[in-house]
Amino acid sequence: MDGNARCDLVLGGGGVRGAAHIGALTALEEAGYSVVRSAGASAGAIASAFAVAGVQATTLRELFEALDLTRFVFADVVARLRTRRGVGRLADRWSDEAAEPLTWLTEILADQGIHTFGDLKVADPDATDPPERSYRLVVRCLDIMQRRVVRLPWDYARYGLDPDAQSVAQAVRASMSVPLVYDPVRIGGEGRTGLLIDGGLTSGFPVTVLDRQDGALPRWPTFGIRLLPRAPANGEVPDGGLALARMVMDALLDAGDLLEPLTDCDEHRTVRIDLSETSQLDLSSEQDEVFADGHATMARFLADWDFDTYLAGCRS
């Protein structure tokens, strides 16, 4: 493989199974690919942001290995507990600012010189995207106040905001906002207010989201990465309200993150990573195994991938 090969990525969500995306990014890096643009929701938004920011896959894995996943996932829950009399002191003992998602995202991106979407403008004279879409990162969220899917930075104008001035870390954090776990993120103001939650709770990104709109042949491939959901519960009835709430949330996350290809050609460029034994909210999952699944699946895909064959069969 040419060491200067380029690609775009469209990454589905996956909750704590996001280590599979890191494995896939590692395989891409080993094959000589660099990521030009990436779109994603939830865990896919995190991986997308780090990929286009220039964080090396090996560094990314080290960052996740050093992360206390339990503290990271429950950072907002602990913050809410601090406000309650009698449990605030206990919450203070358990909390860790380094595991707070927005702080963590901001620091890693800042190390790469990335602060706002203005730092991720596409610097390509041959690009065909209109100005409002000329960014290397697209983050998918759901606005529960306006009841619509939001793609950041493309849709900041709807809220009267300058895309170039908006925080990349804040957008990624908004896309992680699983209800009851992470607090929603407010956006806009003066009559254009929205409240953003996890973009993986609606139908996932189509792999076509970054395709050229002028009908010309793509200059490099776009790969979609789909983390396969668990098998249905097969008649298992939840025992109690908490179990029911978790089943509802699992169903919403899995149904929203399908990233289902619409055509055979979309299927041809979509990588399906089988994580059907792991729940999106399963903190006990073996991250090394999830990483290995992502790495092995992407490596097998790239071994059979040929861009010219794809162009001849799907873009002729």
Side-chain angles (χ1 to χ4, degrees):
M1 173 60 64
D2 181 357
N4 295 316
R6 293 176 288 180
C7 68
D8 291 341
L9 295 178
V10 180
L11 307 182
V16 299
R17 305 179 304 168
H21 284 316
I22 304 173
L25 288 172
T26 302
L28 278 169
E29 190 175 284
E30 291 171 352
Y33 280 95
S34 61
V35 179
V36 180
R37 298 179 302 168
S38 190
S42 191
I46 299 175
S48 291
F50 290 162
V52 299
V55 180
Q56 297 297 308
T58 52
T59 301
L60 188 53
R61 186 178 185 187
E62 292 171 358
L63 289 169
F64 273 82
E65 287 177 344
L67 188 65
D68 186 326
L69 194 58
T70 302
R71 291 176 183 266
F72 187 79
V73 169
F74 289 108
D76 280 9
V77 175
V78 172
R80 290 193 291 270
L81 288 176
R82 284 203 197 100
T83 65
R84 296 190 179 185
R85 184 175 300 176
V87 295
R89 185 174 300 175
L90 178 61
D92 285 339
R93 291 180 182 177
W94 195 75
S95 65
D96 181 359
E97 184 177 332
E100 196 280 319
L102 183 57
T103 301
W104 185 74
L105 291 165
T106 300
E107 291 178 350
I108 294 173
L109 291 172
D111 286 343
Q112 301 299 123
I114 304 299
H115 304 275
T116 67
F117 278 98
D119 298 322
L120 292 175
K121 293 292 288 286
V122 174
D124 183 355
D126 296 323
T128 62
D129 291 323
E132 66 273 14
R133 296 196 174 194
S134 299
Y135 297 88
R136 297 185 61 203
L137 175 67
V138 183
V139 175
R140 183 186 178 99
C141 303
L142 176 63
D143 184 341
I144 57 176
M145 290 184 66
Q146 304 298 330
R147 300 180 182 177
R148 64 190 178 196
V149 171
V150 176
R151 296 168 299 179
L152 304 177
W154 295 357
D155 293 328
Y156 275 122
R158 289 181 172 183
Y159 301 93
L161 300 173
D162 175 11
D164 286 3
Q166 305 310 308
S167 165
V168 175
Q170 184 80 341
V172 175
R173 166 62 184 79
S175 187
M176 295 166 50
S177 298
V178 178
L180 305 180
V181 179
Y182 290 127
D183 294 334
V185 173
R186 186 175 294 275
I187 184 175
E190 298 182 1
R192 300 186 184 183
T193 302
L195 202 59
L196 304 181
I197 66 169
D198 189 338
L201 294 176
T202 59
S203 57
F205 265 120
V207 72
T208 58
V209 69
L210 297 176
D211 285 354
R212 295 179 65 131
Q213 302 300 306
D214 60 357
L217 292 177
R219 291 175 290 168
W220 51 77
T222 296
F223 300 131
I225 301 179
R226 178 186 173 196
L227 308 185
L228 296 183
R230 290 193 302 170
N234 293 325
E236 296 178 11
V237 178
D239 181 16
L242 184 60
L244 176 61
R246 174 160 182 155
M247 181 174 285
V248 169
M249 192 56 59
D250 275 338
L252 287 172
L253 289 167
D254 283 342
D257 287 333
L258 286 180
L259 196 66
E260 193 68 50
L262 299 177
T263 68
D264 289 341
C265 287
D266 290 345
E267 178 72 46
H268 189 62
R269 53 179 175 159
T270 298
V271 184
R272 296 170 177 264
I273 302 176
D274 186 0
L275 300 176
S276 56
E277 299 300 318
T278 306
S279 165
Q280 299 207 36
L281 301 176
D282 185 4
L283 296 178
S284 65
S285 61
E286 292 294 335
Q287 294 297 295
D288 285 345
E289 294 180 9
V290 174
F291 173 91
D293 288 338
H295 182 275
T297 305
M298 177 57 81
R300 287 195 298 270
F301 172 87
L302 292 175
D304 294 331
W305 169 261
D306 183 78
F307 188 39
D308 291 334
T309 299
Y310 168 77
L311 291 177
C314 295
R315 295 301 182 95
S316 61

